[in-house]
Amino acid sequence: MCHAQGAEHREACTHTHTHSSVGLQEVVVVIQSQRNSYHARRSEQRKEEILQQAAEEGKGRPVVVLLHELTEYEGDWSILPALPHLFATYGQLASWFIFVEEETRLRLAALLRVLHRYPEHEEWFLGRGLHDDGASIIHHYAFSEDPSSFTYPDPSAGWAVSKPLLKRLAVRLQHESLKSDFTIDLHHEIALYVWEEGNGPKLTAVPEFCSQMRDNCATSFTTFLPDCVPECVFSSPVPVVRATWEKDAGFLEFYSDVSDSSIPTISLGVPNTERGHCGKTFAIMRRFLSGAVPRADWLLIVDDDTLVSLSRLRMLLRCYDSREAVSLGERYGYGLLHKGYSYTTGGGGMVLSRVAVSRLMSSGCSCHSDDAPDDMVIGRCFTSLGVPITHSPLFHQARPDDYSGKLISSQQAISFHKHWNVDPLAVYKHWLKDDLPRDELNWRATIGPC
């Protein structure tokens, strides 16, 4: 038998001969589901598909876990807080834990062939490898001298850990704190935690973990932008906005600390601040609920240096029920290992249903200061109200250059943030502009009477 002694020997070891006879009954599939009703339905459908496929294969029945049902703790989405519970619940019988998105498809026979190559009594971290093309602010410029030297898993392709690795991580998580209270780019941070500055395994790249279907794939990803039944939508600086996405907005207002008829901007009676914009954002939400603007079901709040594809946002919002309290965007976390809270990061755009805004404004939640971080305050308020923060990977807090090119090139992005060292018009044209005729865009968006 071949025994891997280090990261550089592991891949060579795996290609010698079959090491394992793991059955599906020793596999736990964790679907990274969300509490929002649309996502809960999609993940339940995926679970049923996996179990039906297992019955047809006749090679055992895997355990399929919907992450949002694992415990009552909302912060389980960041994976690390959930590992001790996963191990305590399933570690006795399981040899492998597979983590997939709700739109990731599994081919169980191919997955077993992959797992048979890796001795289950050793520590393994498997997936499709991504790496930074340049030093990235969202990864705090880690490995800035050689960004491509560190790989992390592509979430859309799924990733796997063996039981010995999961056990060690679960024990470690119970006895130490994370280096940062913030959860920003989940899978990069998981890879760093697993690697443990060289004391743990690096990601082993597995060609059968795929983002697009090929003949030998064990996993593949279906879509980032599903085509759902239309629902009515509302979207809520300045030269770039007008040159890019303003024309696609059904109703749009610019807010500032002063009125300026040349733009025009609307004064909210809140002074400008250099840090957070909590006072201004809460004023926007009060205005949204007032009679000062047309009544609408959805509110989009963005910074003036955020680029947005409204046609894609309209398509995405077809999937959501505006009668629910929905907070949608790129999800970050604060203090999640210690029962903290999640929030939709403001730079990528915050999409709120009218019900969510109404619940928030009637709850008594407020800013402790006008310059408090609005996105974090809103996230903390929603957590206290039991309103889930719903994540979409199509919203981006940073520029395209700050993400793995292999990852974002497979998406139909909805937003990017920051104009620093980029041409925003070129970014919009390359990453966000749809070449469909406007009539076709309107048909696909289908803005109906609310």
Side-chain angles (χ1 to χ4, degrees):
M1 179 175 287
C2 174
H3 294 280
Q5 301 297 321
E8 67 275 11
H9 301 301
R10 290 173 184 262
E11 192 63 27
C13 176
T14 63
H15 295 295
T16 55
H17 51 77
T18 296
H19 296 285
S20 168
S21 58
V22 169
L24 286 175
Q25 70 277 4
E26 297 171 68
V27 174
V28 175
V29 178
V30 181
I31 300 177
Q32 293 171 234
S33 56
Q34 304 190 65
R35 297 185 193 278
N36 172 270
S37 63
Y38 164 71
H39 291 280
R41 287 195 304 272
R42 290 296 294 159
S43 56
E44 187 64 46
Q45 291 168 359
R46 187 67 69 239
K47 176 179 178 178
E48 292 174 2
E49 291 171 6
I50 292 171
L51 294 177
Q52 178 62 33
Q53 186 184 160
E56 294 170 359
E57 291 286 343
K59 297 179 181 178
R61 178 186 172 96
V63 174
V64 182
V65 177
L66 302 186
L67 189 58
H68 80 280
E69 295 180 348
L70 181 66
T71 71
E72 293 298 316
Y73 179 45
E74 175 71 20
D76 281 345
W77 68 266
S78 60
I79 306 296
L80 292 179
L83 295 187
H85 187 83
L86 274 173
F87 182 76
T89 306
Y90 304 107
Q92 288 293 326
L93 299 177
S95 297
W96 288 95
F97 291 78
I98 317 297
F99 296 82
V100 297
E101 301 280 344
E102 66 188 33
E103 298 293 343
T104 304
R105 302 269 184 175
L106 288 178
R107 294 170 65 182
L108 296 177
L111 178 64
L112 282 181
R113 288 194 292 271
V114 169
L115 298 181
H116 289 171
R117 297 206 303 262
Y118 302 89
E120 70 270 18
H121 59 274
E122 297 176 4
E123 292 190 356
W124 293 102
F125 181 32
L126 311 178
R128 177 179 186 254
L130 300 175
H131 62 77
D132 291 340
D133 302 314
S136 172
I137 188 173
I138 61 171
H139 298 151
H140 305 291
Y141 300 107
F143 308 97
S144 58
E145 294 182 359
D146 185 9
S148 64
S149 65
F150 184 77
T151 56
Y152 50 98
D154 180 346
S156 65
W159 49 283
V161 296
S162 59
K163 179 166 74 173
L165 176 56
L166 186 75
K167 178 180 179 179
R168 184 166 66 82
L169 295 175
V171 171
R172 185 177 158 209
L173 284 160
Q174 291 174 316
H175 293 92
E176 70 175 45
S177 298
L178 299 180
K179 290 185 176 180
S180 172
D181 286 329
F182 287 92
T183 300
I184 294 177
D185 191 350
L186 174 62
H187 293 87
H188 188 273
E189 291 158 17
I190 288 173
L192 280 175
Y193 193 80
V194 170
W195 180 58
E196 198 181 355
E197 297 182 348
N199 294 313
K202 282 189 174 183
L203 182 75
T204 296
V206 176
E208 294 91 343
F209 281 56
C210 309
S211 59
Q212 296 180 334
M213 176 55 70
R214 300 191 303 271
D215 288 343
N216 65 335
C217 287
T219 69
S220 61
F221 193 74
T222 54
T223 180
F224 283 101
L225 190 60
D227 190 6
C228 299
V229 176
E231 184 179 351
C232 53
V233 56
F234 166 78
S235 56
S236 163
V238 175
V240 171
V241 171
R242 289 192 161 154
T244 55
W245 58 273
E246 180 191 48
K247 64 182 182 300
D248 292 325
F251 180 79
L252 181 145
E253 290 185 333
F254 296 95
Y255 301 116
S256 182
D257 59 329
V258 294
S259 297
D260 184 343
S261 59
S262 67
I263 293 177
T265 62
I266 296 170
S267 173
L268 295 167
V270 179
N272 247 355
T273 52
E274 293 185 3
R275 299 190 300 166
H277 308 288
C278 193
K280 188 180 295 184
T281 299
F282 270 69
I284 290 171
M285 292 189 289
R286 284 192 294 271
R287 181 175 172 85
F288 174 71
L289 296 177
S290 74
V293 298
R295 181 181 174 85
D297 288 339
W298 296 99
L299 171 65
L300 168 64
I301 303 175
V302 296
D303 291 350
D304 58 4
D305 57 351
T306 300
L307 298 169
V308 182
S309 169
L310 289 180
S311 62
R312 296 173 190 173
L313 177 58
R314 289 186 176 101
M315 286 189 66
L316 182 65
L317 287 181
R318 295 175 184 176
C319 299
Y320 296 93
D321 187 346
S322 63
R323 296 167 295 183
E324 293 182 17
V326 179
S327 173
L328 173 68
E330 182 176 22
R331 182 175 52 192
Y332 280 11
Y334 180 76
L336 294 180
L337 203 59
H338 305 289
K339 305 302 179 183
Y341 59 91
S342 306
Y343 60 98
T344 299
T345 180
M350 296 183 287
V351 182
L352 304 172
S353 67
R354 189 178 193 86
V355 176
V357 177
S358 181
R359 284 188 61 182
L360 178 64
M361 300 309 291
S362 63
S363 70
C365 277
S366 61
C367 307
H368 56 81
S369 65
D370 283 344
D371 67 349
D374 52 343
D375 48 7
M376 297 182 72
V377 170
I378 291 172
R380 190 181 66 225
C381 291
F382 278 142
T383 297
S384 68
L385 294 171
V387 175
I389 304 300
T390 302
H391 174 70
S392 169
L394 304 182
F395 295 79
H396 301 88
Q397 172 69 11
R399 309 162 305 160
D401 290 349
D402 290 312
Y403 300 89
S404 166
K406 194 158 61 170
L407 179 65
I408 64 170
S409 62
S410 64
Q411 299 178 345
Q412 288 178 285
I414 284 175
S415 71
F416 289 105
H417 181 224
K418 293 293 186 189
H419 297 170
W420 177 68
N421 275 4
V422 298
D423 177 351
L425 299 181
V427 168
Y428 179 81
K429 182 177 180 180
H430 182 75
W431 293 104
L432 299 171
K433 187 176 185 300
D434 288 299
D435 293 326
L436 295 170
R438 183 171 176 81
D439 289 346
E440 175 69 7
L441 287 176
N442 285 340
W443 179 83
R444 293 177 70 187
T446 316
I447 306 175
C450 297

PDB file of all heavy atoms in Angstrom, residues 84-102:
ATOM      1  N   PRO A  84     -17.543  20.602  14.195  1.00  0.00           N
ATOM      2  CA  PRO A  84     -17.649  19.749  15.385  1.00  0.00           C
ATOM      3  C   PRO A  84     -18.973  18.994  15.451  1.00  0.00           C
ATOM      4  O   PRO A  84     -18.998  17.800  15.813  1.00  0.00           O
ATOM      5  CB  PRO A  84     -17.503  20.748  16.547  1.00  0.00           C
ATOM      6  CG  PRO A  84     -16.678  21.857  15.969  1.00  0.00           C
ATOM      7  CD  PRO A  84     -17.166  21.985  14.549  1.00  0.00           C
ATOM      8  N   HIS A  85     -20.071  19.645  15.118  1.00  0.00           N
ATOM      9  CA  HIS A  85     -21.375  18.971  15.149  1.00  0.00           C
ATOM     10  C   HIS A  85     -21.448  17.896  14.066  1.00  0.00           C
ATOM     11  O   HIS A  85     -21.991  16.806  14.310  1.00  0.00           O
ATOM     12  CB  HIS A  85     -22.489  19.997  14.959  1.00  0.00           C
ATOM     13  CG  HIS A  85     -23.858  19.423  15.147  1.00  0.00           C
ATOM     14  ND1 HIS A  85     -24.431  19.277  16.385  1.00  0.00           N
ATOM     15  CD2 HIS A  85     -24.768  18.940  14.253  1.00  0.00           C
ATOM     16  CE1 HIS A  85     -25.640  18.728  16.264  1.00  0.00           C
ATOM     17  NE2 HIS A  85     -25.865  18.524  14.970  1.00  0.00           N
ATOM     18  N   LEU A  86     -20.921  18.191  12.870  1.00  0.00           N
ATOM     19  CA  LEU A  86     -20.916  17.188  11.798  1.00  0.00           C
ATOM     20  C   LEU A  86     -20.143  15.949  12.215  1.00  0.00           C
ATOM     21  O   LEU A  86     -20.595  14.818  11.992  1.00  0.00           O
ATOM     22  CB  LEU A  86     -20.291  17.781  10.528  1.00  0.00           C
ATOM     23  CG  LEU A  86     -21.194  18.560   9.585  1.00  0.00           C
ATOM     24  CD1 LEU A  86     -20.365  19.201   8.477  1.00  0.00           C
ATOM     25  CD2 LEU A  86     -22.266  17.654   8.982  1.00  0.00           C
ATOM     26  N   PHE A  87     -18.986  16.146  12.832  1.00  0.00           N
ATOM     27  CA  PHE A  87     -18.188  14.991  13.234  1.00  0.00           C
ATOM     28  C   PHE A  87     -18.866  14.215  14.357  1.00  0.00           C
ATOM     29  O   PHE A  87     -18.905  12.980  14.340  1.00  0.00           O
ATOM     30  CB  PHE A  87     -16.781  15.419  13.667  1.00  0.00           C
ATOM     31  CG  PHE A  87     -15.921  14.243  14.036  1.00  0.00           C
ATOM     32  CD1 PHE A  87     -15.381  13.432  13.044  1.00  0.00           C
ATOM     33  CD2 PHE A  87     -15.677  13.920  15.369  1.00  0.00           C
ATOM     34  CE1 PHE A  87     -14.610  12.325  13.378  1.00  0.00           C
ATOM     35  CE2 PHE A  87     -14.910  12.823  15.701  1.00  0.00           C
ATOM     36  CZ  PHE A  87     -14.370  12.019  14.706  1.00  0.00           C
ATOM     37  N   ALA A  88     -19.410  14.934  15.338  1.00  0.00           N
ATOM     38  CA  ALA A  88     -20.064  14.254  16.458  1.00  0.00           C
ATOM     39  C   ALA A  88     -21.270  13.450  15.990  1.00  0.00           C
ATOM     40  O   ALA A  88     -21.562  12.375  16.529  1.00  0.00           O
ATOM     41  CB  ALA A  88     -20.498  15.285  17.506  1.00  0.00           C
ATOM     42  N   THR A  89     -21.972  13.940  14.973  1.00  0.00           N
ATOM     43  CA  THR A  89     -23.192  13.293  14.516  1.00  0.00           C
ATOM     44  C   THR A  89     -22.921  12.150  13.547  1.00  0.00           C
ATOM     45  O   THR A  89     -23.575  11.100  13.616  1.00  0.00           O
ATOM     46  CB  THR A  89     -24.125  14.320  13.845  1.00  0.00           C
ATOM     47  OG1 THR A  89     -24.342  15.414  14.747  1.00  0.00           O
ATOM     48  CG2 THR A  89     -25.466  13.696  13.483  1.00  0.00           C
ATOM     49  N   TYR A  90     -21.965  12.331  12.651  1.00  0.00           N
ATOM     50  CA  TYR A  90     -21.773  11.368  11.564  1.00  0.00           C
ATOM     51  C   TYR A  90     -20.389  10.727  11.533  1.00  0.00           C
ATOM     52  O   TYR A  90     -20.135   9.850  10.700  1.00  0.00           O
ATOM     53  CB  TYR A  90     -22.029  12.059  10.217  1.00  0.00           C
ATOM     54  CG  TYR A  90     -23.387  12.692  10.117  1.00  0.00           C
ATOM     55  CD1 TYR A  90     -23.533  14.082  10.171  1.00  0.00           C
ATOM     56  CD2 TYR A  90     -24.530  11.922   9.995  1.00  0.00           C
ATOM     57  CE1 TYR A  90     -24.785  14.678  10.093  1.00  0.00           C
ATOM     58  CE2 TYR A  90     -25.788  12.506   9.922  1.00  0.00           C
ATOM     59  CZ  TYR A  90     -25.910  13.884   9.973  1.00  0.00           C
ATOM     60  OH  TYR A  90     -27.146  14.468   9.909  1.00  0.00           O
ATOM     61  N   GLY A  91     -19.491  11.139  12.418  1.00  0.00           N
ATOM     62  CA  GLY A  91     -18.106  10.671  12.338  1.00  0.00           C
ATOM     63  C   GLY A  91     -17.911   9.195  12.623  1.00  0.00           C
ATOM     64  O   GLY A  91     -16.918   8.608  12.187  1.00  0.00           O
ATOM     65  N   GLN A  92     -18.819   8.564  13.342  1.00  0.00           N
ATOM     66  CA  GLN A  92     -18.658   7.141  13.663  1.00  0.00           C
ATOM     67  C   GLN A  92     -18.729   6.265  12.421  1.00  0.00           C
ATOM     68  O   GLN A  92     -17.985   5.300  12.294  1.00  0.00           O
ATOM     69  CB  GLN A  92     -19.732   6.711  14.667  1.00  0.00           C
ATOM     70  CG  GLN A  92     -19.541   7.242  16.073  1.00  0.00           C
ATOM     71  CD  GLN A  92     -18.310   6.651  16.759  1.00  0.00           C
ATOM     72  OE1 GLN A  92     -17.953   5.479  16.526  1.00  0.00           O
ATOM     73  NE2 GLN A  92     -17.638   7.451  17.569  1.00  0.00           N
ATOM     74  N   LEU A  93     -19.619   6.586  11.511  1.00  0.00           N
ATOM     75  CA  LEU A  93     -19.882   5.711  10.366  1.00  0.00           C
ATOM     76  C   LEU A  93     -19.279   6.223   9.061  1.00  0.00           C
ATOM     77  O   LEU A  93     -19.052   5.439   8.144  1.00  0.00           O
ATOM     78  CB  LEU A  93     -21.393   5.527  10.179  1.00  0.00           C
ATOM     79  CG  LEU A  93     -22.130   4.886  11.357  1.00  0.00           C
ATOM     80  CD1 LEU A  93     -23.627   4.835  11.072  1.00  0.00           C
ATOM     81  CD2 LEU A  93     -21.600   3.492  11.640  1.00  0.00           C
ATOM     82  N   ALA A  94     -19.029   7.518   8.967  1.00  0.00           N
ATOM     83  CA  ALA A  94     -18.611   8.101   7.693  1.00  0.00           C
ATOM     84  C   ALA A  94     -17.098   8.057   7.513  1.00  0.00           C
ATOM     85  O   ALA A  94     -16.342   8.134   8.488  1.00  0.00           O
ATOM     86  CB  ALA A  94     -19.090   9.545   7.589  1.00  0.00           C
ATOM     87  N   SER A  95     -16.655   7.928   6.260  1.00  0.00           N
ATOM     88  CA  SER A  95     -15.234   8.022   5.914  1.00  0.00           C
ATOM     89  C   SER A  95     -14.920   9.305   5.149  1.00  0.00           C
ATOM     90  O   SER A  95     -13.781   9.774   5.175  1.00  0.00           O
ATOM     91  CB  SER A  95     -14.818   6.816   5.053  1.00  0.00           C
ATOM     92  OG  SER A  95     -14.951   5.607   5.769  1.00  0.00           O
ATOM     93  N   TRP A  96     -15.936   9.871   4.462  1.00  0.00           N
ATOM     94  CA  TRP A  96     -15.724  11.059   3.644  1.00  0.00           C
ATOM     95  C   TRP A  96     -16.889  12.032   3.827  1.00  0.00           C
ATOM     96  O   TRP A  96     -18.050  11.616   3.952  1.00  0.00           O
ATOM     97  CB  TRP A  96     -15.623  10.699   2.153  1.00  0.00           C
ATOM     98  CG  TRP A  96     -14.348  10.014   1.791  1.00  0.00           C
ATOM     99  CD1 TRP A  96     -14.129   8.672   1.711  1.00  0.00           C
ATOM    100  CD2 TRP A  96     -13.114  10.643   1.469  1.00  0.00           C
ATOM    101  NE1 TRP A  96     -12.826   8.425   1.355  1.00  0.00           N
ATOM    102  CE2 TRP A  96     -12.179   9.623   1.200  1.00  0.00           C
ATOM    103  CE3 TRP A  96     -12.695  11.971   1.366  1.00  0.00           C
ATOM    104  CZ2 TRP A  96     -10.860   9.878   0.839  1.00  0.00           C
ATOM    105  CZ3 TRP A  96     -11.381  12.237   1.013  1.00  0.00           C
ATOM    106  CH2 TRP A  96     -10.486  11.200   0.755  1.00  0.00           C
ATOM    107  N   PHE A  97     -16.556  13.316   3.785  1.00  0.00           N
ATOM    108  CA  PHE A  97     -17.550  14.378   3.852  1.00  0.00           C
ATOM    109  C   PHE A  97     -17.394  15.233   2.592  1.00  0.00           C
ATOM    110  O   PHE A  97     -16.314  15.798   2.354  1.00  0.00           O
ATOM    111  CB  PHE A  97     -17.358  15.223   5.112  1.00  0.00           C
ATOM    112  CG  PHE A  97     -17.680  14.490   6.383  1.00  0.00           C
ATOM    113  CD1 PHE A  97     -16.777  13.575   6.925  1.00  0.00           C
ATOM    114  CD2 PHE A  97     -18.897  14.696   7.036  1.00  0.00           C
ATOM    115  CE1 PHE A  97     -17.069  12.884   8.092  1.00  0.00           C
ATOM    116  CE2 PHE A  97     -19.198  14.016   8.206  1.00  0.00           C
ATOM    117  CZ  PHE A  97     -18.284  13.106   8.738  1.00  0.00           C
ATOM    118  N   ILE A  98     -18.456  15.295   1.803  1.00  0.00           N
ATOM    119  CA  ILE A  98     -18.446  16.017   0.532  1.00  0.00           C
ATOM    120  C   ILE A  98     -19.309  17.263   0.694  1.00  0.00           C
ATOM    121  O   ILE A  98     -20.470  17.176   1.104  1.00  0.00           O
ATOM    122  CB  ILE A  98     -19.015  15.158  -0.620  1.00  0.00           C
ATOM    123  CG1 ILE A  98     -18.484  13.718  -0.552  1.00  0.00           C
ATOM    124  CG2 ILE A  98     -18.749  15.806  -1.960  1.00  0.00           C
ATOM    125  CD1 ILE A  98     -17.002  13.581  -0.719  1.00  0.00           C
ATOM    126  N   PHE A  99     -18.773  18.435   0.353  1.00  0.00           N
ATOM    127  CA  PHE A  99     -19.490  19.698   0.482  1.00  0.00           C
ATOM    128  C   PHE A  99     -19.801  20.231  -0.919  1.00  0.00           C
ATOM    129  O   PHE A  99     -18.888  20.404  -1.738  1.00  0.00           O
ATOM    130  CB  PHE A  99     -18.660  20.713   1.258  1.00  0.00           C
ATOM    131  CG  PHE A  99     -18.402  20.314   2.685  1.00  0.00           C
ATOM    132  CD1 PHE A  99     -17.375  19.440   3.012  1.00  0.00           C
ATOM    133  CD2 PHE A  99     -19.204  20.802   3.715  1.00  0.00           C
ATOM    134  CE1 PHE A  99     -17.138  19.053   4.325  1.00  0.00           C
ATOM    135  CE2 PHE A  99     -18.980  20.439   5.029  1.00  0.00           C
ATOM    136  CZ  PHE A  99     -17.948  19.560   5.337  1.00  0.00           C
ATOM    137  N   VAL A 100     -21.076  20.494  -1.192  1.00  0.00           N
ATOM    138  CA  VAL A 100     -21.483  20.941  -2.521  1.00  0.00           C
ATOM    139  C   VAL A 100     -22.455  22.110  -2.396  1.00  0.00           C
ATOM    140  O   VAL A 100     -23.119  22.289  -1.374  1.00  0.00           O
ATOM    141  CB  VAL A 100     -22.147  19.810  -3.339  1.00  0.00           C
ATOM    142  CG1 VAL A 100     -21.167  18.679  -3.591  1.00  0.00           C
ATOM    143  CG2 VAL A 100     -23.409  19.289  -2.644  1.00  0.00           C
ATOM    144  N   GLU A 101     -22.547  22.908  -3.468  1.00  0.00           N
ATOM    145  CA  GLU A 101     -23.545  23.955  -3.563  1.00  0.00           C
ATOM    146  C   GLU A 101     -24.886  23.325  -3.947  1.00  0.00           C
ATOM    147  O   GLU A 101     -24.936  22.187  -4.443  1.00  0.00           O
ATOM    148  CB  GLU A 101     -23.134  24.980  -4.618  1.00  0.00           C
ATOM    149  CG  GLU A 101     -21.805  25.658  -4.351  1.00  0.00           C
ATOM    150  CD  GLU A 101     -21.925  26.777  -3.333  1.00  0.00           C
ATOM    151  OE1 GLU A 101     -23.057  27.219  -3.070  1.00  0.00           O
ATOM    152  OE2 GLU A 101     -20.884  27.204  -2.806  1.00  0.00           O
ATOM    153  N   GLU A 102     -25.959  24.078  -3.775  1.00  0.00           N
ATOM    154  CA  GLU A 102     -27.279  23.525  -4.095  1.00  0.00           C
ATOM    155  C   GLU A 102     -27.452  23.286  -5.590  1.00  0.00           C
ATOM    156  O   GLU A 102     -28.301  22.492  -5.997  1.00  0.00           O
ATOM    157  CB  GLU A 102     -28.384  24.446  -3.587  1.00  0.00           C
ATOM    158  CG  GLU A 102     -28.439  25.783  -4.280  1.00  0.00           C
ATOM    159  CD  GLU A 102     -29.409  26.748  -3.647  1.00  0.00           C
ATOM    160  OE1 GLU A 102     -29.591  26.705  -2.416  1.00  0.00           O
ATOM    161  OE2 GLU A 102     -29.985  27.562  -4.384  1.00  0.00           O
TER     162      GLU A 102
END
